[in-house]
Amino acid sequence: MDATEAIAVIILIIAIVVLVYYYLLNSPSTLDKIRNYVPTSADAHMDEVLGGNPSDLVNNEVAAEEGSGSMTKRIKVKLSDIDMSGINTDAFSNKIDAFLDAKSDELIKDWSLATTDDLEDLQTKFSETTNNVDELEKDYKEFKKSSEEFQKVTQEKLDDLDKRIESLENN
């Protein structure tokens, strides 16, 4: 696997994780099912994460950020500041598609990707090369045939000269 393929796989995995995250946030029934599977005693803050009001989490995290200033709490605050009520997977997918459409030329150039135009160019070059090889093979066969004829004629002339030389030597 090339580096570009690995990067593409990583980007797809991240996109899938983000889509699942948004799906879980926007569907309360799925969140209830997750609460049934995940034990609540696993973490002291699990009840805050799985249940409760999201605005309470934001307020708690902002207060905690002011106190400790750790990077993870800053990230949680930034993620919790996003209004998730208006975001759905279709809109997110459309935004990703729009971004890829806008940046497709840069991505193709940076990742050295092949486009259908590139493939068509390669196909025309391949067919031209095939035709040229066929023509060269035909020319070679004609040359070989003419060369064999030339060798026969030359051999006949040499044989004729040998006979004449022998006849002159015998006389």
Side-chain angles (χ1 to χ4, degrees):
M1 183 183 303
D2 293 347
T4 55
E5 291 173 346
I7 291 172
V9 168
I10 290 170
I11 290 172
L12 287 174
I13 290 171
I14 290 171
I16 290 170
V17 167
V18 168
L19 289 174
V20 167
Y21 174 74
Y22 286 132
Y23 173 75
L24 291 176
L25 287 177
N26 289 327
S27 60
S29 62
T30 309
L31 198 57
D32 291 336
K33 289 179 184 178
I34 291 175
R35 282 188 197 137
N36 292 336
Y37 291 122
V38 177
T40 57
S41 63
D43 189 5
H45 301 288
M46 188 64 72
D47 289 334
E48 293 176 2
V49 173
L50 291 178
N53 190 358
S55 61
D56 294 339
L57 286 176
V58 172
N59 293 336
N60 291 339
E61 288 173 352
V62 169
E65 180 188 13
E66 292 171 357
S68 67
S70 72
M71 182 57 75
T72 57
K73 290 182 181 178
R74 289 181 190 171
I75 291 172
K76 286 181 184 178
V77 169
K78 295 297 179 189
L79 289 176
S80 62
D81 287 344
I82 299 172
D83 181 23
M84 297 297 175
S85 62
I87 296 178
N88 60 19
T89 55
D90 292 334
F92 188 71
S93 295
N94 290 338
K95 287 182 181 180
I96 289 175
D97 289 340
F99 173 77
L100 290 176
D101 288 341
K103 301 292 182 174
S104 63
D105 292 335
E106 290 179 34
L107 290 173
I108 289 169
K109 182 181 175 188
D110 291 344
W111 291 359
S112 302
L113 300 175
T115 61
T116 54
D117 294 336
D118 296 334
L119 294 176
E120 289 172 359
D121 291 343
L122 285 174
Q123 191 172 13
T124 56
K125 288 179 181 179
F126 176 75
S127 58
E128 288 176 14
T129 304
T130 305
N131 291 337
N132 289 339
V133 168
D134 290 341
E135 290 176 14
L136 285 173
E137 187 175 355
K138 180 181 173 186
D139 291 344
Y140 172 72
K141 288 180 181 178
E142 289 178 10
F143 172 76
K144 187 175 178 182
K145 183 179 178 182
S146 65
S147 174
E148 290 172 356
E149 292 173 3
F150 177 75
Q151 287 176 357
K152 287 179 184 177
V153 169
T154 305
Q155 188 64 38
E156 288 174 2
K157 288 182 181 180
L158 286 173
D159 290 342
D160 186 46
L161 282 173
D162 282 341
K163 288 179 184 177
R164 288 174 57 193
I165 290 174
E166 283 181 23
S167 70
L168 285 174
E169 286 177 354
N170 289 338
N171 286 340

